[in-house]
């Protein structure tokens, strides 16, 4: 093949020589773009500008004006950290140092860093940036690289595994320091405007706790000091909003050592929030034509072998022996739902058949990755599985997308959408995967959704559409998902009778509207800073009698608001102290009652935004609560109908 064709972001095609690189393509588009090229995105993957492109590739050129530029800059900042570390400690062994959503990290061995060390390394990084060293890419024989890293088992393992079969590998060189790396990187260290080292933690090589423990240094980098200062300020606010901190303050949940890691306990206030979330999604499911089912927490591993989980997911499963038989706690609900479908005979007239379950699942995450509710061993998915005719796929996916956006609207959350494609470990033919990915792509494009590509992030049984929530601090969190599955129906031999009276294979659509209750709960705690909308708040109203003489009236008002979660503050405190405590407890409404209110049958209302209204009738206040609750309002106008 002497020429290839690549597809540009606007859908146009560009012809190039067969050996063309990203940079070659940029120059073909225009010399100015060629000069400005920093990197490229090929089929959704960020690559160096020297990387080759292939026929049919979807190509985006990355410049310093692109969203991806910050990832490139942060990758270079990770190298600056490693160079600074090696200047101070030549014996430190470097493992890997990728960019992350908030900055970068570098895993290293043979080091012991304290606070003074970190400060000194950061100062050294500033010197390297000020020196503005060129960052140059070099291709070297793989065998030569193996010799160079004779005493670094981490780099040798990368060369023997990820780079196995390659004749050459790439290094990036800055001043007298170099690192094995595929890139991409910025042109010089001086392009990094500002850096900060954030914390030091431990990690396992390859994320496997059976491997060597490494030191992980987290940092961040920006184009300017101003951007860095804004990030650090937001980070401090995020600490104040940390769901683990607020969860303790509001008595929502705990993860005590005695229960085991990643196994949260939900206290009454926390369970109240979870129950409201569940009630809401159950209502959405029933209105959309789903039937509720329930499956047990564990199955014989024969089921997991049939579904493919045993071969593809076994390392993440909890397996146990019972009476000489092997069982597994369920990491997913789908095989149970497929088995329910398989217990009956179906006609094309019966489909789509939609099941939903708030199903507890168990996944053996690495202990070092467990954190509060964001990553746990036991969590609950608001799971749904649709068994559909192939011709109904796009209609059903669109309906699910509508449900998800309806749900998101009640939480004041923004969301981004991405198409996750085939991972390395997967089941099914190339034709099945290509068909599944194309149908999801068709829904996204025909309905006008802006979406990213997540190469290799699909489930092992099919591609998916992933949603990510953006919270009040601009942070992104994994959320709902829609997954297309042509493989499990084959593995379970699921059929329905078509109009031609022949057996046909249904398609399974996996979907979750929240993603998981635990992750959603965590997002909402931090997004709202614990100040939940009225319909979710564990305690919706607190009545504050001005003295013990008003306790009787306070309880009568509570009875009038009986359908809401109302408490009477009966401690022998001043009204001022009661109000301060109500604010600290993040109660949406406080009602102050005394002799004047009792005489007129009213209440004085104070909300958590410190807005006040006197002489409000209890009926009018109850009606206001009903409207706010039923409409699931996030920030209502004070006492407006």
């Amino acid at each position: 093949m002497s020429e290839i064709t690549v597809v540009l972001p606007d859908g146009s095609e560009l012809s190039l020589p067969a050996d063309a690189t990203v940079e070659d393509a940029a120059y073909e588009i225009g010399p100015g773009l060629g000069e400005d090229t920093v990197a490229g995105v090929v089929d959704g993957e960020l690559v160096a500008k020297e990387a080759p492109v292939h026929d049919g590739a979807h190509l985006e050129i990355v410049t310093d004006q692109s969203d991806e530029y910050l990832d490139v800059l942060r990758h270079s900042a990770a190298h600056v950290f490693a160079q600074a570390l090696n200047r101070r400690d030549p014996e430190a062994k470097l493992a890997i140092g990728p960019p992350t959503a908030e900055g970068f990290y570098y895993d290293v061995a043979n080091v012991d860093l304290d606070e003074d060390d970190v400060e000194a390394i950061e100062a050294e990084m500033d010197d390297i940036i000020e020196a503005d060293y060129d960052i140059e890419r070099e291709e070297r024989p793989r065998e030569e690289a193996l010799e160079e890293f004779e005493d670094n088992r981490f780099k040798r393992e990368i060369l023997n595994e990820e780079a196995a079969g390659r004749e050459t590998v790439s290094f990036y060189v800055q001043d007298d320091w170099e690192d094995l790396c595929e890139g991409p990187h910025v042109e010089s260290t001086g392009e990094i405007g500002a850096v900060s080292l954030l914390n030091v933690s431990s990690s396992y090589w390859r994320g496997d706790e059976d491997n060597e423990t490494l030191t992980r240094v987290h940092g961040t980098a920006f184009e300017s000091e101003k951007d860095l200062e804004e990030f650090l300020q937001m980070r401090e606010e995020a600490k104040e909003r940390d769901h683990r901190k607020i969860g303790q303050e509001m008595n929502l949940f705990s993860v005590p050592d005695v229960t085991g890691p990643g196994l949260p306990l939900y206290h009454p206030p926390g369970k109240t929030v979870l129950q409201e979330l569940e009630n809401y999604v159950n209502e959405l499911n029933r209105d959309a034509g789903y039937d509720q089912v329930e499956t047990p927490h564990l199955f014989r591993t024969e089921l997991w072998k049939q579904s493919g989980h045993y071969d593809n997911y076994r390392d993440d499963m909890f397996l146990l022996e019972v009476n000489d038989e092997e069982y597994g706690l369920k990491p997913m609900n789908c095989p149970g739902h497929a088995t329910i479908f398989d217990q009956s005979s179906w006609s094309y007239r019966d489909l789509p058949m939609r099941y939903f379950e708030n199903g507890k699942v168990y996944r053996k995450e690495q202990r070092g990755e467990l954190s509060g509710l964001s990553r746990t061993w036991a969590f609950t998915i608001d799971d749904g599985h649709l068994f559909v005719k192939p011709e109904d796929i796009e209609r059903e996916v669109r309906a699910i997308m509508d449900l998800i956006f309806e749900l998101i609207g009640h939480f004041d959350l923004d969301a981004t959408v991405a198409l996750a494609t085939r991972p390395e470990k997967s089941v099914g033919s190339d034709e099945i995967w290509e068909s599944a990915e194309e149908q999801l792509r068709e829904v996204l494009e025909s309905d006008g959704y802006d979406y990213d590509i997540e190469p290799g992030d699909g489930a092992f049984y099919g591609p998916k559409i992933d949603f990510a929530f953006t919270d009040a601090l601009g942070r992104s969190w994994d959320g709902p998902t829609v997954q297309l599955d042509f493989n499990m129906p084959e593995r379970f031999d699921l059929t329905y009778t078509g109009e031609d009276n022949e057996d046909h294979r249904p398609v399974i659509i996996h979907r979750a509207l929240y993603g998981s209750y635990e992750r959603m709960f965590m997002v909402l705690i931090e997004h709202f800073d614990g100040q939940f909308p009225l319909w979710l708040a564990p305690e919706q109203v607190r009545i504050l009698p001005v003295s013990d003489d008003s306790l009787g009236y306070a309880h009568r008002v509570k009875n009038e608001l009986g359908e809401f979660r109302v408490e009477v503050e009966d401690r022998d405190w001043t009204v001022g102290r009661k109000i301060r405590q109500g604010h600290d407890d993040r109660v949406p409404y406080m009602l102050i009652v005394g002799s004047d209110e009792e005489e007129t049958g009213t209440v004085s209302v104070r909300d958590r935004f410190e807005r006040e209204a006197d002489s409000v009738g209890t009926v009018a206040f109850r009606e206001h609560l009903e409207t706010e609750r039923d409409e699931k309002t996030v920030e209502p106008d004070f006492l407006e109908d």
Side-chain angles (χ1 to χ4, degrees):
M1 183 183 295
S2 59
E3 278 201 346
I4 59 173
T5 300
V6 298
V7 181
L8 301 178
D10 63 359
S12 62
E13 296 184 346
L14 179 68
S15 294
L16 297 166
D19 59 352
T21 65
V22 169
E23 190 173 29
D24 293 333
Y27 273 106
E28 185 68 26
I29 296 170
L33 182 61
E35 291 176 5
D36 292 341
T37 298
V38 176
V41 178
V42 177
D43 293 336
E45 182 180 359
L46 184 64
V47 299
K49 63 184 180 182
E50 297 86 357
V53 292
H54 61 268
D55 190 47
H58 286 73
L59 172 64
E60 179 183 349
I61 304 299
V62 175
T63 71
D64 61 5
Q65 300 301 306
S66 303
D67 292 340
E68 294 84 1
Y69 178 70
L70 191 57
D71 287 335
V72 180
L73 182 144
R74 287 170 169 173
H75 195 176
S76 300
H79 277 213
V80 170
F81 160 78
Q83 181 181 10
L85 175 66
N86 278 158
R87 280 185 175 183
R88 291 185 54 82
D89 187 353
E91 299 304 314
K93 294 291 184 286
L94 304 177
I96 57 172
T100 66
E102 288 198 333
F104 63 87
Y105 69 81
Y106 215 115
D107 284 345
V108 295
N110 202 31
V111 295
D112 183 16
L113 300 176
D114 60 24
E115 188 173 332
D116 291 339
D117 294 324
V118 171
E119 289 182 5
I121 293 169
E122 189 173 301
E124 192 73 49
M125 292 175 70
D126 290 336
D127 291 343
I128 294 169
I129 291 169
E130 187 175 352
D132 194 19
Y133 299 124
D134 290 337
I135 302 176
E136 299 178 333
R137 180 184 174 103
E138 294 183 2
E139 291 287 331
R140 300 179 189 172
R142 175 175 164 276
E143 294 302 320
E144 181 182 312
L146 281 167
E147 292 177 8
E148 183 169 342
F149 290 113
E150 185 176 1
D151 63 345
N152 186 323
R153 81 170 192 86
F154 311 111
K155 300 295 186 183
R156 288 182 64 85
E157 189 171 314
I158 292 170
L159 288 165
N160 286 324
E161 294 184 8
E162 282 90 332
R166 297 186 191 177
E167 292 185 4
T168 64
V169 293
S170 57
F171 282 73
Y172 281 83
V173 182
Q174 53 201 50
D175 189 31
D176 58 352
W177 181 89
E178 62 188 26
D179 197 5
L180 175 73
C181 183
E182 291 190 346
H185 289 284
V186 296
E187 294 292 325
S188 72
T189 60
E191 288 190 34
I192 303 168
V195 295
S196 177
L197 297 182
L198 303 175
N199 60 66
V200 178
S201 62
S202 61
S203 64
Y204 298 107
W205 173 235
R206 303 289 199 186
D208 187 341
E209 58 190 24
D210 293 330
N211 287 339
E212 183 175 344
T213 301
L214 303 174
T215 297
R216 174 168 293 182
V217 181
H218 296 261
T220 193
F222 289 89
E223 295 182 66
S224 70
E225 285 287 350
K226 178 176 178 292
D227 290 341
L228 175 60
E229 289 172 5
E230 290 176 353
F231 167 82
L232 294 176
Q233 182 178 349
M234 186 191 74
R235 195 164 181 266
E236 286 303 310
E237 185 176 348
K239 288 181 181 177
E240 291 301 310
R241 289 176 179 244
D242 189 304
H243 72 286
R244 292 164 296 189
K245 173 179 175 289
I246 294 174
Q248 183 175 11
E249 293 171 354
M250 298 182 67
N251 192 33
L252 300 175
F253 70 93
S254 61
V255 190
D257 290 340
V258 70
T259 66
L263 301 170
L265 303 177
Y266 296 103
H267 302 193
K271 183 58 182 177
T272 296
V273 179
L274 288 171
Q275 190 63 59
E276 290 292 343
L277 291 173
E278 182 176 327
N279 291 342
Y280 174 46
V281 86
N282 288 352
E283 178 184 339
L284 287 179
N285 281 322
R286 293 189 179 102
D287 289 346
Y290 288 75
D291 293 319
Q292 190 164 12
V293 298
E294 183 174 332
T295 58
H297 291 249
L298 80 167
F299 292 95
R300 295 172 60 231
T301 51
E302 293 306 310
L303 180 73
W304 305 120
K305 291 174 182 177
Q306 185 176 2
S307 68
H309 287 88
Y310 196 82
D311 292 332
N312 292 276
Y313 216 79
R314 178 171 48 194
D315 291 343
D316 297 309
M317 292 180 63
F318 291 96
L319 301 173
L320 60 154
E321 293 287 332
V322 181
N323 296 330
D324 296 327
E325 279 194 294
E326 189 177 42
Y327 284 75
L329 290 172
K330 61 178 179 179
M332 300 178 186
N333 297 300
C334 38
H337 292 190
T339 304
I340 292 173
F341 183 87
D342 195 36
Q343 303 306 296
S344 301
S345 298
W346 304 98
S347 161
Y348 70 93
R349 296 185 182 89
D350 301 314
L351 302 189
M353 180 56 61
R354 308 179 186 96
Y355 296 147
F356 82 94
E357 175 182 12
N358 296 301
K360 183 78 74 177
V361 298
Y362 304 85
R363 298 182 188 174
K364 191 168 60 177
E365 305 281 2
Q366 299 295 332
R367 288 184 181 229
E369 296 178 349
L370 300 174
S371 177
L373 301 181
S374 63
R375 192 173 293 273
T376 61
W377 274 355
F379 58 96
T380 305
I381 303 176
D382 65 306
D383 231 339
H385 294 95
L386 297 82
F387 301 82
V388 307
K389 304 189 294 293
E391 58 266 31
D392 293 339
I393 289 173
E394 292 185 22
R395 182 193 70 197
E396 293 298 319
V397 170
R398 285 190 173 90
I400 294 167
M401 301 280 282
D402 290 343
L403 273 183
I404 291 171
F405 278 109
E406 179 181 349
L407 176 145
I408 290 171
H410 285 302
F411 300 108
D412 194 29
L413 290 164
D414 293 326
T416 57
V417 180
L419 175 61
T421 60
R422 186 174 191 170
E424 287 187 18
K425 291 182 69 173
S426 59
V427 294
S429 67
D430 291 343
E431 292 78 14
I432 284 177
W433 274 88
E434 288 170 7
S435 173
E437 289 177 7
E438 182 56 36
Q439 290 189 72
L440 291 183
R441 193 187 306 270
E442 173 61 25
V443 171
L444 292 170
E445 293 185 354
S446 64
D447 286 12
Y449 291 108
D450 290 328
Y451 69 97
D452 296 322
I453 300 291
E454 294 176 340
D457 278 355
F460 74 86
Y461 47 75
K464 57 181 179 172
I465 297 172
D466 283 334
F467 287 74
F469 295 127
T470 303
D471 68 12
L473 296 182
R475 300 169 302 176
S476 183
W477 304 100
D478 292 342
T481 184
V482 185
Q483 304 173 359
L484 210 54
D485 186 351
F486 291 83
N487 292 298
M488 197 170 294
E490 290 281 348
R491 299 180 77 92
F492 280 82
D493 193 25
L494 304 181
T495 62
Y496 67 92
T497 304
E499 290 186 76
D500 57 3
N501 212 33
E502 298 291 331
D503 283 346
H504 295 266
R505 190 78 69 202
V507 177
I508 296 178
I509 302 175
H510 308 243
R511 50 105 280 199
L513 304 183
Y514 291 135
S516 80
Y517 281 95
E518 283 71 12
R519 177 66 62 84
M520 188 66 177
F521 195 11
M522 179 272 292
V523 169
L524 294 179
I525 292 171
E526 299 195 0
H527 178 61
F528 291 120
D529 193 19
Q531 300 185 77
F532 296 107
L534 179 79
W535 69 282
L536 284 177
E539 182 182 349
Q540 296 168 317
V541 180
R542 184 174 295 178
I543 304 174
L544 315 180
V546 298
S547 70
D548 288 350
D549 293 340
S550 300
L551 275 173
Y553 180 60
H555 283 281
R556 290 200 297 276
V557 172
K558 176 182 178 179
N559 291 337
E560 289 188 44
L561 303 175
E563 61 185 297
F564 295 94
R565 295 184 285 276
V566 183
E567 298 294 335
V568 174
E569 176 57 270
D570 57 5
R571 285 175 285 193
D572 188 20
W573 289 352
T574 64
V575 172
R577 185 178 179 186
K578 291 178 179 180
I579 290 172
R580 288 193 299 273
Q581 188 62 51
H583 279 299
D584 290 346
D585 292 341
R586 300 171 171 87
V587 181
Y589 288 101
M590 287 172 278
L591 305 183
I592 302 168
V593 296
S595 57
D596 290 344
E597 285 79 13
E598 183 172 5
E599 184 176 336
T600 57
T602 62
V603 293
S604 293
V605 182
R606 183 184 180 97
D607 73 2
R608 60 183 163 207
F609 304 108
E610 300 187 5
R611 297 176 294 192
E612 300 180 23
D614 297 328
S615 302
V616 178
T618 55
V619 173
F621 180 67
R622 185 179 68 244
E623 290 174 349
H624 170 78
L625 292 180
E626 289 170 351
T627 300
E628 188 176 336
R629 176 197 61 194
D630 295 345
E631 294 181 358
K632 295 181 170 57
T633 309
V634 174
E635 292 188 9
D637 293 328
F638 186 51
L639 291 182
E640 287 190 4
D641 293 333

